[in-house]
Amino acid sequence: MCGIVGYAGNQQALPILLEGLRRLEYRGYDSAGVAVLDGGEVQVVRRAGKLEALEQALGSDTALNGVSGIGHTRWATHGQPTDRNAHPHLDCSGRVAVIHNGIIENFYTLRQQLEADGHRFASQTDTECVAHLVEGALAEGLGFADAVRKALKRLEGSFALAVLHQGDPGVVVGAKRDLPLVAGRGEGENFVASDFAAFLDHTKDGVILEDDQVVVATPERLDVTDLDGDPVEAYEHHVDWDLSAAEKGGYEHFMLKEMHEQPLAIKQTLEGRTDPQGRLLLDELRMSEDELREVDKVFVVACGTAYHSGLVAKYAIEHWTRLPVEIEIASEFRYRDPVLDRNTLVIAISQSGETADTLGAVRYARRQRARVLTVCNTVGASIPRESDAVLYTRAGPEVCVAATKTFATQLAAMYLVALYLAQVRGTMFTDEVASVVRELEQVPGKVELCLERSDQVRKVAEQYKDAHDWLFLGRHVGYPMALEGALKLKEISYLHAEGYPAAELKHGPIALIEDGTPVVVVHPSSHVYAKMLTNIQEVAARGAAIIAIAEDGDREVAAHATHVLRVPPTAQLLAPLVCLIPLQLLSYHVAVARGCPIDKPRNLAKSVTVE
Ligand code: M6R
């Protein structure tokens, strides 16, 4: 859950590294550091805190002069986020610098062995042992890349790392296991990084490394080998989105920009996946219709917001296909011995395609011979690459840690998957599928309308910004939306919020309600509308301030709610796609009113690549 970037070229490395780190800060922002080969010596500057703290310490873009270097932005695992634990880490001689994303699981044993051999450690991190292992291998007379390969063979755990060595100017060695590492091919310059975004203004072409591959980057070449040094054919990749997609484009925050990109993101995710008659065309799945007909059970696995999209999908898949669906938090799935076989379809949902728990669940499911379909926003990421089938969402890069547009597109993609299963298995008539598709196609316009109502949401948000406890209630597909609304509020405003199935409140949580407690109810029209209204009255009677999300034209709700945030009428199963907008706006405006940092909330990182 850190970001790494390395540069080997002919330009000053420092500004390129800092720019790369800025684009990777979504991966962690506890501390940051750089190492540049300057005047024949490895020079390191690192600071606790966000990238600005490092930039302040450096003073200017030319503080370090050199044409090769490495940079790191950290989300702490081993050791507190202090200057001393910030990367890069050095060996005893200060000639080898290492940056690392991941966890070296046997670091304690390695550290004891290395200390017994006379190595002196300067930090509490697991990473530092890599620098000392490389130092040891160099002392045995191995060349730089071979020394790194030898060190890697002793590591247990996960890593994406990059190494710089004083004796090899203009060379950066990178390697990976279980965590992402890509290399960019420029003109007279090459890159390694956690993500293509780090060097996208230099090149859109490069390779995605596989596990236990090592890349040696020089200004002229990118050579990829296995751990024995044998050349391997790397997975070539061309990035098809523009850097402008990863810029704020005039919005105050990435979150605001990304919320406003939702109509387009949903439209793009639907586009080209149906024919003019409304039949689903999902040949891209790489899973045959026969295989899908054999499925007798579906598991959905995901984490966080992606899990909430899976919860919504459960309602849709069961209703449209009559297949039983279990939904499970990915970190729990593989540790409870779930019943899977060849006829089980496991659907993994992950915007990043990197989440360690979801990747673990996918691997587990495949070992049990289940078929795995992934819904993902990141082309070529580990989870889709390790799955049998993939449906990409087309949200474009999402920078804000809080997921918004990727959630909307996960919902859209999962509706497509559910309809496709129904079409292939014959549980819906063609005209029924076509009618839902037509309704889906109306959604981007409705989302646009909800976004235009942002000011109304802001007024409510400002009124309740100091309420420390919030409840979010829903029934049917409104329940996952209540969970998502609560998660968004917690994540970016640091307020306590709980999502509940509305009727469950009576079984305990209703005790939390005091005079003025804000209770957000997701209340579009549905077959449980009347029951929901009863639940609203139960909490209103106990003094709650009801903020209802209800449809235009619903007159009844206003009699019971303190505030009504309106959404356009939408088919019941698809309503999450419109209800999510006021929920997102509410958390955004509350967080702004409270002066929270919005795009980089404390303690979080965009991709959770550790278990
Ligand atoms: O990349 P993924 O979709 O697998 O990420 C899963 C969660 O970490 C993610 O949805 C997280 O909950 C978001 N920060 C929520 O806004």
Side-chain angles (χ1 to χ4, degrees):
M1 286 228 323
C2 303
I4 68 173
V5 57
Y7 176 77
N10 299 309
Q11 302 186 56
Q12 284 296 325
L14 184 61
I16 293 171
L17 295 174
L18 289 174
E19 189 52 33
L21 290 181
R22 198 162 298 114
R23 297 191 196 290
L24 293 177
E25 238 193 330
Y26 72 88
R27 304 182 66 87
Y29 33 82
D30 287 344
S31 60
V34 286
V36 170
L37 209 54
D38 178 356
E41 291 197 354
V42 173
Q43 299 288 351
V44 173
V45 180
R46 51 195 190 179
R47 282 295 179 277
K50 295 206 172 116
L51 190 56
E52 293 88 60
L54 173 68
E55 286 172 324
Q56 258 174 19
L58 284 162
S60 81
D61 270 6
T62 51
L64 301 177
N65 278 297
V67 292
S68 57
I70 54 180
H72 187 268
T73 177
R74 176 169 189 242
W75 186 84
T77 54
H78 288 74
Q80 291 188 331
T82 58
D83 286 358
R84 196 157 71 98
N85 288 332
H87 298 214
H89 291 287
L90 297 169
D91 67 329
C92 302
S93 67
R95 293 166 59 86
V96 177
V98 178
I99 51 173
H100 167 223
N101 171 29
I103 296 180
I104 310 296
E105 285 166 3
N106 58 337
F107 104 97
Y108 187 68
T109 319
L110 288 172
R111 182 170 175 148
Q112 281 183 322
Q113 289 165 357
L114 286 159
E115 282 177 336
D117 291 345
H119 291 269
R120 295 176 317 282
F121 278 71
S123 76
Q124 300 163 305
T125 66
D126 52 340
T127 304
E128 193 183 335
C129 66
V130 182
H132 295 286
L133 286 172
V134 174
E135 177 186 22
L138 286 166
E140 289 168 18
L142 292 181
F144 178 28
D146 283 335
V148 175
R149 289 187 197 101
K150 179 161 187 190
L152 296 177
K153 286 184 178 170
R154 297 200 46 201
L155 304 185
E156 288 167 19
S158 57
F159 55 79
L161 49 81
V163 192
L164 197 65
H165 176 226
Q166 193 160 304
D168 289 86
V171 184
V172 172
V173 178
K176 71 146 264 171
R177 181 184 300 156
D178 282 347
L179 291 170
L181 190 72
V182 300
R185 196 175 284 115
E187 299 224 341
E189 57 183 4
N190 288 307
F191 307 80
V192 295
S194 304
D195 180 339
F196 280 94
F199 48 75
L200 217 53
D201 40 4
H202 297 266
T203 177
K204 287 181 155 192
D205 292 302
V207 296
I208 299 174
L209 271 85
E210 306 276 356
D211 283 350
D212 288 328
Q213 290 186 345
V214 175
V215 60
V216 180
T218 63
E220 299 79 29
R221 298 177 62 87
L222 277 180
D223 292 314
V224 183
T225 70
D226 59 19
L227 287 187
D228 292 324
D230 295 323
V232 291
E233 205 173 314
Y235 182 98
E236 293 287 332
H237 186 67
H238 173 79
V239 178
D240 59 6
W241 46 270
D242 233 62
L243 202 54
S244 61
E247 305 283 353
K248 273 194 215 155
Y251 285 91
E252 200 176 336
H253 300 106
F254 277 110
M255 183 176 178
L256 190 60
K257 175 188 174 236
E258 288 160 4
M259 285 191 287
H260 278 88
E261 286 171 344
Q262 290 179 114
L264 183 63
I266 296 168
K267 188 163 171 282
Q268 284 172 345
T269 299
L270 299 176
E271 241 160 35
R273 287 171 165 163
T274 50
D275 69 12
Q277 285 71 47
R279 271 184 67 80
L280 273 293
L281 305 169
L282 293 189
D283 312 343
E284 63 192 292
L285 282 188
R286 307 188 309 242
M287 204 176 258
S288 75
E289 295 197 357
D290 279 345
E291 284 176 302
L292 291 175
R293 275 190 281 269
E294 279 162 21
V295 169
D296 58 17
K297 182 176 181 183
V298 177
F299 266 103
V300 184
V301 290
C303 302
T305 287
Y307 171 76
H308 299 153
S309 72
L311 270 174
V312 173
K314 174 182 163 75
Y315 290 83
I317 299 173
E318 287 187 337
H319 185 70
W320 289 333
T321 73
R322 309 310 300 149
L323 275 167
V325 181
E326 279 194 46
I327 159 107
E328 181 108 26
I329 296 275
S331 54
E332 290 298 317
F333 175 74
R334 69 194 148 126
Y335 296 116
R336 71 158 176 90
D337 198 14
V339 183
L340 309 171
D341 62 26
R342 191 67 194 139
N343 294 335
T344 311
L345 176 65
V346 173
I347 306 180
I349 309 176
S350 172
Q351 79 79 23
S352 63
E354 278 180 32
T355 301
D357 286 314
T358 312
L359 180 58
V362 164
R363 287 178 175 163
Y364 176 87
R366 293 199 73 198
R367 280 200 300 277
Q368 307 300 310
R369 299 183 57 249
R371 296 176 169 104
V372 177
L373 161 64
T374 283
V375 168
C376 184
N377 196 47
T378 314
V379 177
S382 306
I383 296 175
R385 286 197 358 256
E386 295 204 20
S387 303
D388 297 295
V390 57
L391 185 67
Y392 283 110
T393 51
R394 297 172 184 149
E398 186 175 69
V399 177
C400 176
V401 166
T404 53
K405 62 175 178 169
T406 55
F407 176 60
T409 56
Q410 283 164 355
L411 289 174
M414 286 305 293
Y415 288 129
L416 293 182
V417 169
L419 289 172
Y420 189 57
L421 281 170
Q423 175 180 293
V424 168
R425 298 168 65 87
T427 52
M428 276 170 97
F429 291 113
T430 312
D431 58 337
E432 288 176 305
V433 173
S435 147
V436 181
V437 167
R438 276 195 301 277
E439 293 196 46
L440 270 173
E441 286 166 352
Q442 306 294 314
V443 164
K446 295 182 184 185
V447 168
E448 196 79 64
L449 191 65
C450 295
L451 287 163
E452 284 167 15
R453 297 173 175 173
S454 176
D455 256 4
Q456 294 160 21
V457 186
R458 182 179 50 75
K459 285 180 194 143
V460 176
E462 285 170 356
Q463 196 172 333
Y464 294 95
K465 72 178 174 55
D466 296 319
H468 277 273
D469 288 296
W470 290 62
L471 283 171
F472 287 72
L473 306 181
R475 278 176 174 260
H476 194 257
V477 288
Y479 162 50
M481 299 315 291
L483 293 177
E484 175 60 9
L487 176 65
K488 282 286 97 80
L489 190 73
K490 282 187 265 213
E491 201 173 12
I492 62 166
S493 73
Y494 313 150
L495 292 173
H496 173 240
E498 306 247 17
Y500 267 97
E504 184 66 13
L505 211 67
K506 295 188 281 296
H507 301 281
I510 202 163
L512 292 171
I513 293 179
E514 294 173 353
D515 242 9
T517 302
V519 177
V520 181
V521 291
V522 183
H523 187 42
S525 60
S526 74
H527 64 295
V528 286
Y529 181 90
K531 293 193 185 301
M532 188 71 199
L533 215 51
T534 311
N535 299 137
I536 291 176
Q537 289 168 45
E538 286 160 3
V539 283
R542 284 155 181 91
I546 306 289
I547 302 166
I549 295 173
E551 289 178 357
D552 293 331
D554 174 350
R555 291 175 192 280
E556 211 171 345
V557 67
H560 308 284
T562 323
H563 308 274
V564 184
L565 303 175
R566 298 284 179 179
V567 294
T570 304
Q572 181 175 350
L573 277 168
L574 307 187
L577 275 169
V578 293
C579 292
L580 69 89
I581 305 298
L583 291 169
Q584 294 170 345
L585 287 168
L586 188 65
S587 62
Y588 173 78
H589 288 304
V590 170
V592 170
R594 292 175 58 77
C596 296
I598 311 289
D599 290 330
K600 291 180 210 147
R602 70 182 177 211
N603 302 339
L604 296 178
K606 183 79 182 154
S607 321
V608 184
T609 55
V610 289
E611 279 196 44

